[in-house]
Amino acid sequence: MTQAPNSSLPAEATPEWLAHLNTPQREAVVTTEGPVLMLAGAGTGKTAALTHRLAHIVRERLAWPSEILCVTFTNKAAREMRERVGTLTGGALEGMPWLGTFHSICAKMLRRHAEIVGLQSNFTIIDTDDQLRLLKQMIREHEIDEKRWPPRQLAGLLDSWKNRGLNPPDLTAVDNEAYANGKGQEMYRLYQERLKTLNACDFGDLLLHILNIFRQNSDVLKSYQQRFKYILVDEYQDTNAVQYLWLRLLAQERKNICVVGDDDQSIYSWRGAEVANILRFEKDFPGAKVVKLEQNYRSTPQILSAASGLIEANSQRLGKTLWTQLPEGQKVKVIGVWDAPEEARRVGEEIERLEREGASLEQVAILVRAQYQTREFEDRFIQIGLSYRIIGGFRFYERAEIRDALAYLRVIAQPADDLAFERIYNQPKRGLGAKTLEKMHQHARAQGLPLAAAALQLADSDELPARARNTIGGLMADFLRWREMSEAVSPSELMRAVLEESAYDALLKAERSAESAGRADNLVELARAMEEYETLGDFLEHVSLVMENDAASDEEKVTIMTMHAAKGLEFDNVFLPGWEEGVFPSQRSLDEGGLASLEEERRLAYVAITRARRRCTIMHAANRRIYGQWTSSIPSRFIEELPEEHIEQETTMTGGKSLWQANWSESEDPFAHVSRDRPDRSSARGPGWQRALATGYDTKQTRLKEPSRSAASFAAKPRGDVELGARVFHEKFGYGEVIGQEGNKLEIDFEKAGTKRVIDSFVTLA
């Protein structure tokens, strides 16, 4: 085979597959010998350079396709690369077995050497559901409190340890203490033993097992080092520790490794990615050639300059300067608005304006920091008839946790809603299995009752085991109380109470994962959305209308997605809402990771801005409602870091304060000046809390021990007439004397609990 040169080819000798590359791209392609870091900025054509490098190696016959290792992060990227290189080489890539994702390549290797780690070559790769079931069995066997230390939390820890290349003996004292007060290491060891007994491994094992094999079997490692003449790695900034260690071992002999990445786009530390891997490439491979791809083919100079100015505030970066030959274009807009609803209205108006000017909705994207932010835009777009799609997730009201919460509300509003009741009768888990559900269905059909009413009757019979009867009885008591409460408190306060008392909130908190934190945020946003509605029925009707919105698949739609999901994509027009401290950068990220997390949040901002080709609009709100309270917000620090000469501001913020803080005296009520509908500000907690206090409702109230056994009572509003001076009994407060009455609300002087105001249906005559 001929040897490729280590520098650019003379113009007259340029093959056709190199003809359309710019000078740095061509240099990265033809520098085949030795380590190469292709530092590729956003929109600089790194995929073209990588595929042409692979094609160049094959076309110049520097190696057979079977002697090239090419690693990607997704199967989609692998397929696209295979197709593109196949076109460039005339189909010569058909015999390339080592082009794929980290997991697919390591799975192929592991099947060849499975016996070394105690597996058979036909081992099973278990999915997340199988893993959680296995961990649940182990947790119960070792008498660990499953509610405090749930299987999902242990699964997350196992994944993080394997991403770091750690085996059970490698765990630190801190790692060990992370689960069940010092049982992390033991559970990890037992889990690995159980997997071997099952002849199985999880996805983390695919890389960890191979890394262990390479470390402990030099002959196996040597065979692969000799096999692979060239190694190519895409998205190197996203590699985690175990991937990094695996690649470094494979490349040590020939050192013909080319990695492609952008340190400014490393945004996945929450799933194990380490930006340090790309930052230390030159140290790992002394003499490495660094080729910077800086010519951007996507965005206007104004957008690039704004993004470049922002990212310069990061200290942990290699540094590069993006430039483009595209026309100057518009400056990045920074718009301040009053609150989140106005933010959604303003974005909707801007999109409608763009559409009138001929822009395609397919080229409009709204990129948010957190999924819960999508709800405001979805509601607004439904109102104005603007078609949209959610990418990388479900529409807000289609998410599992939202559907669960709505199911609770539907049963409260309409006890005959069997579909809703069936969804949540055992969610969160209450020990009510399929047999219990079957009994409920049988009884409901036989008696012609709704499922909930049938459950209530079964709770007062011997048809079910005592534990199931007690559980159902408690659940029915909860629904009776919540239904009564729905008449006295606001829908949002009802929602918060249901989430707390059903233990749904506790379930998410116990999981202690990024996913569960996001689900909890969505539920907070759901309760916030309900603040705009007077009654539960009004809100549920609104949701039904939203869920019915399903525009034709061939209709142009606005794209709504998170910034993380947008990486690698591009749109003519990009809107970036929620640029306020606490929202973006995320307060949770800053609390957990400090400066390192701040720099990653800034990289995320850089990624978001560089998704825009022609127009980029950043928005921030002066006020947001959090847990029912209006909270003044200050603009994100990232806005201040944008170069002034490349942005155009519509100022509604002064000195980091909202308009009303800057211009109105503290004695004035700022909300009195707002013509838009706003909640009553007469109480710090609002009217919902006033009504809750008036009924004597306590969000930590215990369940009724003996719920009414009448199916009819579950379907009808409880009523009762109690005279002044009557002696009564309350399940929580005990015995007392009625000293006042207002409608169905009683003021009672309890013997032990003092004076309380309660609903009459919660007491009985003593």
Side-chain angles (χ1 to χ4, degrees):
M1 295 185 183
T2 59
Q3 181 75 23
N6 289 331
S7 59
S8 300
L9 294 170
E12 63 273 11
T14 301
E16 71 275 9
W17 63 86
L18 300 179
H20 300 291
L21 300 178
N22 63 35
T23 300
Q25 288 174 331
R26 187 179 304 176
E27 184 178 14
V29 167
V30 303
T31 307
T32 57
E33 306 308 304
V36 176
L37 169 59
M38 199 187 304
L39 197 60
T44 57
K46 61 99 175 175
T47 302
L50 185 63
T51 53
H52 281 74
R53 178 184 174 89
L54 184 51
H56 179 73
I57 292 172
V58 174
R59 291 289 295 263
E60 290 294 309
R61 301 192 178 186
L62 303 179
W64 294 107
S66 60
E67 296 174 321
I68 305 171
L69 172 64
C70 185
V71 189
T72 66
F73 267 85
T74 66
N75 289 313
K76 179 182 177 182
R79 287 194 302 271
E80 290 178 352
M81 183 170 294
R82 189 180 296 276
E83 292 171 0
R84 293 176 68 168
V85 177
T87 301
L88 290 170
T89 60
L93 217 60
E94 290 299 322
M96 188 170 184
W98 301 104
L99 190 162
T101 65
F102 280 97
H103 288 96
S104 65
I105 290 171
C106 286
K108 184 179 297 186
M109 290 180 174
L110 186 55
R111 294 202 184 276
R112 296 185 175 191
H113 310 286
E115 70 284 351
I116 298 178
V117 291
L119 297 172
Q120 300 173 30
S121 60
N122 64 341
F123 62 82
T124 299
I125 303 172
I126 64 173
D127 60 19
T128 301
D129 289 340
D130 290 333
Q131 182 189 38
L132 291 175
R133 281 196 293 270
L134 177 57
L135 292 176
K136 187 172 185 176
Q137 293 173 9
M138 293 175 55
I139 289 169
R140 288 180 174 176
E141 290 170 5
H142 291 81
E143 298 181 344
I144 296 173
D145 185 350
E146 184 179 342
K147 291 185 178 179
R148 186 177 180 188
W149 306 101
R152 195 173 295 276
Q153 181 191 355
L154 180 55
L157 289 170
L158 292 170
D159 186 57
S160 68
W161 293 334
K162 292 180 181 183
N163 284 343
R164 290 158 57 194
L166 302 178
N167 295 288
D170 303 324
L171 297 190
T172 66
V174 174
D175 291 327
N176 188 37
E177 290 291 330
Y179 187 76
N181 298 322
K183 294 184 179 179
Q185 188 178 57
E186 180 67 4
M187 293 299 288
Y188 186 6
R189 182 184 66 81
L190 293 172
Y191 172 68
Q192 292 301 99
E193 290 181 359
R194 186 71 62 88
L195 286 177
K196 288 183 181 180
T197 301
L198 297 171
N199 190 35
C201 64
D202 60 28
F203 282 97
D205 285 326
L206 295 176
L207 281 100
L208 185 59
H209 279 327
I210 283 295
L211 180 63
N212 290 335
I213 290 171
F214 284 176
R215 284 170 164 172
Q216 299 163 15
N217 300 269
S218 58
D219 57 328
V220 177
L221 173 60
K222 190 76 171 177
S223 68
Y224 284 104
Q225 288 176 335
Q226 294 177 346
R227 172 189 296 270
F228 299 131
K229 293 184 176 180
Y230 296 96
I231 299 175
L232 292 80
V233 187
D234 195 12
E235 304 287 5
Y236 191 67
Q237 79 281 346
D238 293 334
T239 54
N240 59 32
V242 69
Q243 293 163 343
Y244 162 79
L245 294 170
W246 177 75
L247 285 167
R248 195 174 65 174
L249 284 174
L250 285 172
Q252 282 307 306
E253 181 166 305
R254 297 181 184 272
K255 294 185 171 56
N256 288 338
I257 180 172
C258 174
V259 301
V260 184
D262 183 2
D263 53 328
D264 291 333
Q265 296 189 72
S266 180
I267 57 174
Y268 297 119
S269 67
W270 46 275
R271 65 186 189 195
E274 296 186 11
V275 68
N277 293 346
I278 193 170
L279 296 177
R280 65 181 173 220
F281 183 82
E282 293 176 89
K283 182 178 180 181
D284 289 334
F285 297 96
K289 185 176 186 62
V290 179
V291 180
K292 294 183 179 182
L293 304 187
E294 297 174 305
Q295 183 176 358
N296 179 281
Y297 295 93
R298 175 190 300 158
S299 306
T300 65
Q302 298 279 19
I303 292 172
L304 290 183
S305 296
S308 297
L310 171 66
I311 200 63
E312 284 178 1
N314 271 7
S315 59
Q316 297 297 311
R317 62 189 298 261
L318 298 172
K320 58 188 173 302
T321 303
L322 298 184
W323 61 277
T324 182
Q325 293 180 336
L326 295 174
E328 192 71 9
Q330 299 180 8
K331 292 183 178 182
V332 173
K333 282 188 178 180
V334 178
I335 301 175
V337 295
W338 178 258
D339 59 10
E342 182 176 338
E343 182 178 61
R345 285 195 296 271
R346 182 65 184 270
V347 170
E349 291 168 359
E350 289 291 318
I351 293 175
E352 289 179 317
R353 180 183 61 79
L354 289 171
E355 191 175 22
R356 288 195 299 271
E357 294 175 358
S360 167
L361 293 184
E362 293 292 318
Q363 287 301 322
V364 178
I366 301 170
L367 310 183
V368 298
R369 174 61 182 87
Q371 286 191 340
Y372 72 83
Q373 291 175 260
T374 69
R375 201 276 312 168
E376 203 79 62
F377 295 99
E378 293 183 65
D379 282 0
R380 180 59 185 169
F381 291 173
I382 291 295
Q383 292 175 13
I384 64 176
L386 191 62
S387 298
Y388 69 90
R389 66 167 67 89
I390 301 291
I391 300 293
F394 296 103
R395 294 191 298 177
F396 184 81
Y397 293 109
E398 292 175 345
R399 292 164 185 153
E401 64 276 10
I402 301 300
R403 283 185 176 273
D404 289 343
L406 292 175
Y408 273 100
L409 297 176
R410 285 164 55 188
V411 174
I412 293 169
Q414 176 48 266
D417 191 334
D418 286 359
L419 293 176
F421 183 78
E422 185 172 342
R423 182 180 181 93
I424 48 80
Y425 81 100
N426 195 38
Q427 180 67 8
K429 303 298 182 183
R430 300 183 174 92
L432 301 175
K435 290 184 178 179
T436 302
L437 180 61
E438 183 181 355
K439 280 282 187 183
M440 290 191 291
H441 273 297
Q442 288 175 351
H443 188 67
R445 287 193 297 269
Q447 299 296 321
L449 293 172
L451 202 57
L456 187 60
Q457 287 189 355
L458 285 175
D460 197 26
S461 73
D462 294 327
E463 295 291 332
L464 297 174
R467 181 179 177 182
R469 292 201 306 269
N470 292 336
T471 300
I472 291 175
L475 179 61
M476 293 301 100
D478 286 342
F479 274 113
L480 284 166
R481 188 176 68 257
W482 292 331
R483 189 157 189 247
E484 176 67 18
M485 189 192 312
S486 69
E487 300 292 330
V489 302
S490 67
S492 61
E493 295 302 333
L494 174 67
M495 182 77 269
R496 294 183 180 107
V498 170
L499 291 173
E500 178 183 346
E501 295 177 22
S502 67
Y504 203 102
D505 275 348
L507 172 71
L508 296 182
K509 290 176 182 176
E511 289 182 5
R512 305 179 192 177
S513 67
E515 180 185 16
S516 63
R519 294 172 65 197
D521 286 342
N522 289 339
L523 291 173
V524 170
E525 177 62 19
L526 175 66
R528 198 204 69 72
M530 296 174 70
E531 293 168 4
E532 302 173 13
Y533 297 87
E534 289 293 326
T535 69
L536 179 58
D538 289 343
F539 175 71
L540 291 176
E541 181 178 332
H542 164 75
V543 173
S544 297
L545 294 175
V546 171
M547 297 289 279
E548 281 297 313
N549 178 68
D550 187 15
S553 59
D554 59 347
E555 186 177 0
E556 289 188 356
K557 299 177 183 178
V558 175
T559 297
I560 307 175
M561 63 199 310
T562 65
M563 295 175 181
H564 283 99
K567 186 172 178 293
L569 303 179
E570 55 187 58
F571 303 89
D572 283 349
N573 306 284
V574 171
F575 294 88
L576 306 175
W579 280 45
E580 301 125 36
E581 287 294 305
V583 178
F584 189 50
S586 160
Q587 190 60 50
R588 181 184 293 121
S589 294
L590 299 186
D591 292 343
E592 293 176 354
L595 179 59
S597 289
L598 173 61
E599 295 216 343
E600 178 156 330
E601 291 285 293
R602 190 176 285 112
R603 291 195 292 270
L604 187 57
Y606 171 84
V607 168
I609 293 173
T610 54
R611 298 311 93 195
R613 284 195 288 249
R614 298 178 61 189
R615 303 179 188 87
C616 179
T617 303
I618 295 169
M619 306 191 79
H620 59 92
N623 303 280
R624 284 194 188 270
R625 277 178 294 185
I626 302 175
Y627 297 104
Q629 298 293 322
W630 281 101
T631 302
S632 181
S633 302
I634 62 174
S636 168
R637 68 192 74 189
F638 299 152
I639 292 178
E640 185 178 352
E641 294 169 357
L642 294 169
E644 291 186 4
E645 62 271 26
H646 299 295
I647 64 174
E648 176 185 333
Q649 295 205 55
E650 291 186 17
T651 306
T652 59
M653 307 288 282
T654 305
K657 297 182 179 181
S658 62
L659 243 178
W660 67 267
Q661 287 177 306
N663 298 326
W664 293 334
S665 68
E666 294 182 2
S667 61
E668 288 184 287
D669 175 11
F671 296 95
H673 295 266
V674 185
S675 60
R676 296 182 299 275
D677 293 337
R678 289 289 180 264
D680 181 6
R681 305 277 164 200
S682 60
S683 165
R685 283 182 157 179
W689 274 102
Q690 292 174 343
R691 288 194 292 271
L693 292 173
T695 64
Y697 173 70
D698 179 356
T699 58
K700 293 183 172 59
Q701 182 175 340
T702 56
R703 290 177 173 173
L704 298 178
K705 295 180 180 179
E706 292 295 332
S708 168
R709 301 305 189 189
S710 166
S713 71
F714 183 64
K717 177 183 177 182
R719 301 287 299 183
D721 297 319
V722 183
E723 296 180 354
L724 292 177
R727 181 172 168 78
V728 296
F729 176 78
H730 188 278
E731 289 285 347
K732 179 177 181 181
F733 304 122
Y735 291 95
E737 180 182 340
V738 178
I739 60 176
Q741 184 174 9
E742 181 182 352
N744 67 338
K745 301 175 184 64
L746 304 177
E747 186 173 4
I748 301 174
D749 183 13
F750 289 101
E751 295 174 359
K752 294 183 178 180
T755 302
K756 302 286 184 182
R757 298 189 69 186
V758 301
I759 297 175
D760 57 8
S761 60
F762 287 166
V763 301
T764 57
L765 292 173

